Amino acid sequence: MKLTLPPALAGFSPAALANLSERDRRLLLAAAVGAVLILIFGPIVPLDRSVTRERARLLGKRNDLAWVQNAAMQLRDAPQPPAASGESLLVIIDRSARESGLAAALAGSEPGAAGSLSIRLEKANFEKLVTWLARLSQQNGVLVDSATIDQAGAPGIVNAAIVLHAG
């Protein structure tokens, strides 16, 4: 079976190419190379960009996953807030203040809204006060809503107004 070219392509025979001038052959060769490059790199460049973009997206997702796993471990290992002991906030504050050596500085307390308690301390040791507040939070789940602490004469001695609530 003999293969014949359509009439439009019949002029592209090797004999017809040999009849072209050197300049036309170079131009035809450059056009053919350009067409081949377009056919090869036309689909490859967008695919490469797409692969690069998806790799960056995957890296971001892996970083997010690592962060979530780390946060989950920290939450799992974090101390759980203590269960309610049934004691009123006033009893917890009074008992823990005595245990921390702040009973003499405790000048007064007033119940507030939504189970909060406002307390005043006068001439309290600042280090003992901060340690006491941290212990209240860790052991009893008592949180500080607000605090105003002022110097009261000697260094390390303060007056404080603190609003606490059970966590």
Side-chain angles (χ1 to χ4, degrees), residues 11-26 28:
F12 292 117
S13 68
L17 290 175
N19 290 336
L20 291 176
S21 69
E22 182 67 26
R23 179 177 163 261
D24 289 343
R25 273 188 291 221
R26 285 185 186 164
L28 186 60

